[in-house]
């Protein structure tokens, strides 16, 4: 079994490697190719990856290359975890929206749109080259904004599934609070990528006992603290929103916070420099503790589980993925990409039936789905007016004057990445 990781030079890759090594019985990789245009950091990451495999007794071969076509040739699955423009572009995404009082964040709002515009054309080019090399290969997308990128891939006819670590993070957290194994926890996880709610927490499977009311009663403070939301918000909703809902529910408070502290991009850039220095140590043969602060917790386990299921080698029967709606949420178009539990196998994911979504959540999901459709149109066809319409449609923008100002700022900060601009 051969897999490739595009964006393999990421400082986060050793977390993925550690998961591949620990879970080798679930996903028996014989060759893993790390692909990245940044040759120097790729070699640092690749060296540590080989040492991790050796330390844990994994017999698979790890290679590195800056040649995308060579790297994906013959692969059974390709994982995408790239960041067009690097942390420098992320720094911009997180700062210029604040100039007009809007959230600066790399996956939602104006910053998220900028990332989508930079990313979608690059990902589609990669996917076409994967298809030429091996039309049967699965593409697993971890590249943000996952919902928009996955929709672009699916609409172009690629065998693609989107993956996020939010759901598996909740599963692990709830399992710990309940004192059970994670496999015993099934989430009624419903919404869009980075716009989801846990409507139920069930023991044993989709039809198991819903213990969410007990979790909120006994552990509400801890859950709210993890979300960085007041306990009253969680109690009032009676469900658990994803962390990203704080940008909607606490918008002005978050903007004030972002204006008075270093950006997450600056924090990550400093962390990456430290991590790369560690990776260059030939004595290091395990992921360093600092990597836990980098983000993306449990991504490796989710990726192994998903790849194993898609390639017919096992994996969990039900997994939270990003895929076509196809009637799952009846108020959305079939070709909207949603994030829900699905039965996953070699033919791809099939969403499970989900609880009816309360209008409080369905309204926001419909609004952001409309934005995502406009954002994808702007990413595929370009044009200032399309960018403006996407921003005007986003509930974190929503005002004409803001949309005009943000359009100008977005284009000014991203011209080098937008061929049409």
């Amino acid at each position: 079994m051969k897999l490739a990781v595009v964006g393999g030079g990421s400082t986060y890759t050793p977390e993925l490697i550690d998961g591949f090594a620990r879970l080798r019985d679930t996903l028996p990789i014989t060759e893993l190719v790390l692909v990245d245009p940044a040759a120097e950091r790729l070699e640092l990451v690749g060296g540590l990856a080989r040492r991790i495999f050796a330390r844990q007794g994994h017999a698979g071969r790890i290679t590195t290359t800056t040649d995308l076509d060579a790297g994906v040739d013959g692969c059974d699955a390709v994982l995408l975890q790239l960041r067009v423009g690097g942390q420098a572009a992320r720094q911009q995404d997180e700062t210029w929206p604040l100039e007009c009082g809007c959230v600066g964040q790399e996956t939602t709002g104006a910053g998220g749109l900028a990332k989508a515009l930079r990313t979608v054309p690059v990902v589609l080019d990669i996917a076409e080259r994967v298809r030429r090399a091996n039309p049967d290969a699965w593409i697993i997308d971890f590249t943000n904004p996952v919902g928009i990128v996955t929709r672009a891939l699916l609409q172009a006819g690629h065998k693609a599934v989107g993956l996020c670590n939010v759901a598996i993070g909740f599963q692990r957290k709830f399992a710990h609070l309940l004192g059970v194994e994670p496999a015993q926890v099934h989430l009624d996880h419903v919404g869009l990528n980075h716009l989801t709610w846990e409507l139920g927490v069930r023991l044993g499977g989709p039809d198991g006992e819903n213990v969410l009311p007990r979790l909120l009663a006994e552990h509400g403070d801890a859950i709210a603290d993890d979300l960085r939301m007041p306990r009253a918000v969680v109690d009032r909703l009676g469900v658990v929103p994803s962390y990203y809902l704080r940008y909607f529910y606490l918008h002005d408070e978050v903007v004030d916070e972002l204006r008075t502290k270093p950006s997450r991009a600056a924090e990550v850039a400093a962390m990456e420099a430290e991590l790369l220095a560690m990776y260059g140590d030939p004595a290091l043969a395990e992921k360093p503790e600092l990597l836990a602060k980098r983000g993306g917790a449990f991504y490796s386990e989710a990726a192994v589980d998903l790849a194993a299921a898609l390639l017919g080698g096992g994996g969990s029967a039900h997994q939270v993925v990003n895929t076509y709606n196809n009637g799952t949420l009846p108020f959305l178009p079939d070709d909207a990409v949603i994030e829900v539990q699905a039965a996953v196998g070699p033919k791809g994911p099939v969403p499970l039936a989900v609880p009816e979504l309360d209008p409080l959540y369905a309204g926001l999901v419909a609004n952001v789905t409309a934005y995502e459709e406009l954002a994808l149109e702007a990413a595929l066809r370009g044009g200032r007016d399309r960018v403006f319409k996407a921003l005007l449609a986003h509930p974190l923008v929503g005002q004409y004057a803001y949309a005009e100002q943000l359009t100008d700022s977005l284009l000014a900060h991203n011209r080098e990445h937008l061929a049409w601009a």
Side-chain angles (χ1 to χ4, degrees):
M1 182 183 295
K2 180 179 180 182
L3 269 68
V5 180
V6 178
S10 167
T11 55
Y12 189 73
T13 296
E15 173 70 31
L16 189 60
I17 299 300
D18 178 73
F20 286 156
R22 288 186 292 105
L23 302 172
R24 54 185 174 273
D25 291 340
T26 302
L27 189 68
I29 298 170
T30 54
E31 182 177 358
L32 179 65
V33 187
L34 305 182
V35 184
D36 203 293
E40 185 175 350
R41 64 187 289 158
L42 180 61
E43 285 311 306
L44 291 174
V45 173
L48 175 56
R50 295 184 191 99
R51 295 193 297 273
I52 290 173
F53 262 32
R55 168 71 66 85
Q56 298 196 31
H58 195 302
R61 183 165 69 105
I62 295 179
T63 59
T64 60
T65 181
T66 58
D67 186 331
L68 175 68
D69 295 314
V72 302
D73 186 44
C75 282
D76 298 290
V78 177
L79 279 71
L80 305 181
Q81 56 170 38
L82 57 147
R83 182 185 298 279
V84 179
Q87 293 299 333
R90 177 179 183 172
Q91 169 72 15
Q92 293 177 351
D93 294 343
E94 293 179 348
T95 51
W96 53 262
L98 297 173
E99 295 170 5
C100 65
C102 294
V103 162
Q105 212 277 331
E106 65 158 346
T107 66
T108 191
L113 176 61
K115 194 172 197 297
L117 297 180
R118 295 193 303 267
T119 304
V120 165
V122 174
V123 165
L124 288 178
D125 176 66
I126 292 169
E128 284 299 330
R129 292 159 76 174
V130 170
R131 181 155 53 188
R132 287 199 299 268
N134 183 3
D136 293 325
W138 279 101
I139 295 175
I140 298 173
D141 178 61
F142 194 65
T143 297
N144 281 317
V146 168
I148 295 172
V149 172
T150 302
R151 188 169 182 174
L153 288 165
L154 290 173
Q155 287 187 353
H158 297 290
K159 292 177 62 176
V161 184
L163 181 64
C164 180
N165 69 314
V166 167
I168 193 172
F170 275 132
Q171 182 198 43
R172 297 306 195 263
K173 174 69 174 180
F174 296 153
H176 174 72
L177 293 174
L178 293 165
V180 300
E181 291 297 317
Q184 293 299 306
V185 176
H186 178 95
L187 303 176
D188 290 338
H189 179 100
V190 184
L192 310 177
N193 180 243
H194 289 186
L195 196 83
T196 52
W197 297 264
E198 308 308 324
L199 304 184
V201 178
R202 302 183 181 277
L203 291 179
D207 299 320
E209 176 192 3
N210 181 15
V211 296
L212 178 57
R214 172 155 63 94
L215 276 169
L216 293 178
E218 297 177 0
H219 305 285
D221 287 341
I223 292 170
D225 286 347
D226 280 352
L227 299 173
R228 296 183 63 195
M229 294 186 194
R231 169 75 184 266
V233 174
V234 180
D235 286 343
R236 190 77 174 269
L237 296 176
V239 302
V240 179
S242 81
Y243 166 87
Y244 292 90
L245 265 299
R246 72 189 300 264
Y247 298 118
F248 296 81
Y249 294 160
L250 306 173
H251 179 275
D252 292 354
E253 180 179 322
V254 171
V255 168
D256 289 342
E257 172 190 308
L258 294 174
R259 283 172 162 168
T260 57
K261 72 172 191 176
S263 69
R264 176 61 177 164
E267 293 175 353
V268 171
M271 200 180 307
E272 287 194 335
E274 189 174 351
L275 285 168
L276 288 171
M278 292 179 177
Y279 295 171
D281 180 358
L284 183 66
E286 60 186 8
K287 61 178 183 180
E289 291 184 10
L290 178 62
L291 189 54
K293 300 179 181 178
R294 172 67 177 79
F298 306 113
Y299 160 44
S300 61
E301 296 176 31
V304 167
D305 212 21
L306 179 55
L310 292 171
L311 298 177
S316 301
H318 300 146
Q319 300 178 38
V320 173
V321 298
N322 285 260
T323 191
Y324 270 150
N325 177 46
N326 282 337
T328 308
L329 297 179
F331 57 90
L332 294 184
D334 284 349
D335 65 350
V337 166
I338 61 174
E339 185 172 290
V340 293
Q341 290 275 5
V344 183
K347 293 184 178 181
V350 178
L352 304 182
V354 301
E356 183 177 356
L357 208 54
D358 186 282
L360 177 63
Y361 316 124
L364 187 53
V365 167
N367 190 341
V368 175
T369 297
Y371 151 76
E372 290 189 346
E373 182 175 343
L374 292 167
L376 181 54
E377 184 76 1
L380 294 173
R381 301 178 62 189
R384 185 188 187 282
D385 192 51
R386 293 188 181 93
V387 174
F388 167 79
K389 287 179 179 178
L391 286 168
L392 188 61
H394 201 294
L396 294 182
V397 180
Q399 296 187 52
Y400 180 89
Y402 287 174
E404 284 281 17
Q405 180 180 341
L406 290 168
T407 298
D408 290 339
S409 294
L410 187 155
L411 295 178
H413 285 94
N414 288 276
R415 289 192 192 283
E416 65 180 296
H417 300 293
L418 306 177
W420 52 268

